[in-house]
């Protein structure tokens, strides 16, 4: 069977980080003799009318692929491709939930999985503080230091460690109308976390990240990494977390709680894989491509 695919990335951000993941996937797909093409979301126009739902490409008429690996967060485009009957990995819905940390925590709590205690800040159209009673209740539930975390963010850049009420009020003011949560700070995990990469129902690679001078363990925030052998419990949790948002593959961040018990920090549906390769020598792209081929061939044979 001759399978064709697109690997979609976003070319609006500076740096090579974003095309990099796409290129790893492309290489893995070519090794399977698959006909794949890297496309940026900016060259694909989702067209809608009463009589037509399509994607316009330079090539006319557009030749649509059998599958798409979606390394971007442009969920409208992902959804458009799904509406055209194309298999999209991850699905637009999984990407939507993963991208929004609030939706992710709601999903994880629904699945009764361990997460830090979290309070969703009420939506506001102005920079509005909580009423004193509500603020006090939040502080009572979470304590200080406390994490303030924007719903949308990566590389640790939109995560803040807050030490007292005055700083909390200031941080709330700074965030103005952005969606965010207040969250219990897991102090046993200061400067460290675990990244487990799940593909299908298995953990294919893992690393431990540590920072000597920051509460965040992100490599981009100055953390270092080493290969890690996750426990059964950690693996099970990462797989359940991935499944709870309906993702086919994901990089799951685990915090280290009391007695080394794992706590889910976040789920990245579009996790970059180069750092993990550098730390472990494992190329996650080959697992992702194998997984997609199995799924597609399974569907065709059915
Ligand atoms: N509740 C928490 N308690 C302790 N550390 C946290 C908590 N939330 C986040 N962190 C630290 O901050 C880092 C970044 O947070 P994360 O939610 O993964 O956001 P990002 O998407 O920016 O990576 C985590 O890897 C972890 O080291
Ligand atoms: Mg993270």
């Amino acid at each position: 069977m001759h399978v064709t695919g697109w690997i979609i990335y976003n070319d609006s951000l500076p740096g090579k980080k974003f095309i990099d993941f796409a290129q790893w996937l492309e290489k893995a797909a070519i090794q399977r003799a698959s006909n794949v093409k890297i496309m940026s979301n900016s060259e694909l126009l989702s067209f809608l009318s009463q009589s037509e739902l399509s994607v316009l490409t330079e090539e006319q008429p557009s030749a649509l692929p059998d599958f798409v690996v979606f390394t971007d967060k442009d969920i409208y485009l992902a959804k458009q491709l799904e509406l055209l009957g194309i298999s999209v990995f991850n699905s637009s819905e999984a990407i939507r939930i993963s991208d929004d940390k609030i939706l992710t925590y709601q999903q994880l709590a629904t699945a009764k999985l361990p997460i830090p205690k979290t309070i969703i800040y009420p939506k506001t159209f102005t920079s509005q503080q909580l009423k004193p009673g509500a603020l006090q209740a939040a502080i009572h539930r979470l304590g200080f230091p406390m994490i303030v975390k924007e719903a949308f963010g990566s590389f640790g850049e939109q995560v803040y460690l807050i030490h007292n009420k005055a700083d909390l009020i200031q941080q709330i003011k700074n965030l103005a109308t952005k969606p965010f949560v207040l969250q219990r700070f897991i102090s046993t995990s200061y400067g460290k976390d675990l990244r487990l990469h799940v593909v299908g129902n298995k953990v294919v690679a893992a690393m431990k990240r540590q920072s000597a001078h920051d509460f965040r363990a992100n490599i981009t925030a100055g953390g270092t990494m080493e290969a890690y052998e996750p426990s059964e419990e950690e693996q099970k949790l990462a797989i359940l977390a991935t499944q709870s948002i309906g993702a086919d593959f994901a990089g799951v961040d685990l915090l280290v709680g009391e007695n080394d018990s794992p706590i889910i920090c976040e789920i990245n549906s579009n996790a970059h894989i180069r750092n993990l390769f550098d730390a472990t020598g494992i190329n996650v792209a080959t697992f992702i491509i194998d997984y997609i081929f199995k799924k597609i061939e399974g569907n065709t044979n059915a």
Side-chain angles (χ1 to χ4, degrees):
M1 183 173 99
H2 193 64
V3 177
T4 62
W6 286 349
I7 299 162
I8 296 179
Y9 81 109
N10 193 308
D11 64 351
S12 67
L13 289 161
K16 291 212 184 323
K17 211 144 66 183
F18 296 90
I19 193 160
D20 191 61
F21 182 29
Q23 286 168 338
W24 282 67
L25 290 162
E26 181 189 35
K27 222 161 123 197
I30 288 170
Q31 274 163 6
R32 290 207 52 151
S34 158
N35 184 1
V36 293
K37 197 150 87 176
I38 295 184
M39 308 274 263
S40 70
N41 68 320
S42 63
E43 57 187 328
L44 298 167
L45 298 181
S46 298
F47 182 83
L48 301 161
S49 76
Q50 185 176 10
S51 59
E52 186 181 340
L53 188 152
S54 60
V55 170
L56 310 178
T57 63
E58 262 186 11
E59 233 174 84
Q60 286 303 328
S62 312
L64 296 176
D66 299 306
F67 73 89
V68 166
V69 196
F70 212 86
T71 74
D72 184 38
K73 297 178 176 177
D74 186 345
I75 51 173
Y76 302 119
L77 173 59
K79 174 90 185 180
Q80 186 89 356
L81 294 162
E82 286 165 355
L83 291 171
L84 288 166
I86 299 168
S87 303
V88 179
F89 303 93
N90 279 303
S91 70
S92 62
E93 184 61 6
I95 297 171
R96 185 175 79 93
I97 298 171
S98 162
D99 191 31
D100 182 336
K101 292 186 168 77
I102 297 177
L103 294 180
T104 302
Y105 289 123
Q106 284 183 322
Q107 216 57 30
L108 291 168
T110 304
K112 299 207 176 306
L113 296 173
I115 55 171
K117 289 192 173 71
T118 297
I119 290 175
I120 304 170
Y121 199 84
K123 183 175 175 68
T124 167
F125 296 104
T126 56
S127 174
Q128 178 163 279
Q129 294 291 333
L130 290 176
K131 302 269 183 305
L135 183 66
Q136 221 33 62
I139 293 171
H140 179 70
R141 281 294 190 120
L142 307 177
F144 286 115
M146 185 192 291
I147 291 282
V148 170
K149 191 181 290 192
E150 295 184 34
F152 301 97
S154 5
F155 311 120
E157 283 165 18
Q158 288 78 16
V159 181
Y160 315 93
L161 185 60
I162 304 295
H163 293 278
N164 54 53
K165 192 164 158 180
D167 290 352
L168 177 59
I169 289 170
Q170 184 57 48
Q171 187 61 55
I172 290 171
K173 197 169 159 197
N174 293 349
L175 291 175
T177 61
K178 289 181 187 162
F180 64 94
V181 297
L182 311 178
Q183 190 171 73
R184 167 82 58 106
F185 176 59
I186 307 299
S187 58
T188 41
S189 204
Y190 189 102
K192 61 181 181 201
D193 74 359
L194 307 172
R195 160 60 62 89
L196 274 63
H197 214 112
V198 175
V199 180
N201 55 8
K202 136 167 145 213
V203 173
V204 300
M207 65 181 172
K208 183 177 185 170
R209 302 184 294 194
Q210 233 158 341
S211 175
H213 42 76
D214 198 292
F215 72 96
R216 293 159 297 191
N218 302 68
I219 305 303
T220 321
T224 57
M225 56 197 182
E226 56 186 293
Y228 179 74
E229 188 64 53
S231 69
E232 281 292 324
E233 187 190 3
E234 288 158 355
Q235 295 188 44
K236 208 170 131 203
L237 196 53
I239 294 162
L240 288 172
T242 303
Q243 289 170 346
S244 81
I245 66 158
D248 296 284
F249 46 85
V252 179
D253 291 346
L254 299 179
L255 300 168
V256 184
E258 301 271 333
N259 305 317
D260 287 341
S261 60
I263 300 169
I264 302 160
C265 180
E266 69 152 341
I267 309 164
N268 298 282
S269 66
N270 308 42
H272 294 171
I273 58 174
R274 176 181 284 276
N275 284 337
L276 203 47
F277 177 77
D278 290 342
T280 66
I282 297 170
N283 181 355
V284 174
T286 58
F287 288 92
I288 293 176
I289 294 295
D290 280 354
Y291 170 85
I292 290 174
F293 269 71
K294 268 201 201 105
K295 271 221 144 171
I296 290 191
E297 283 161 5
N299 287 345
T300 323
N301 296 338

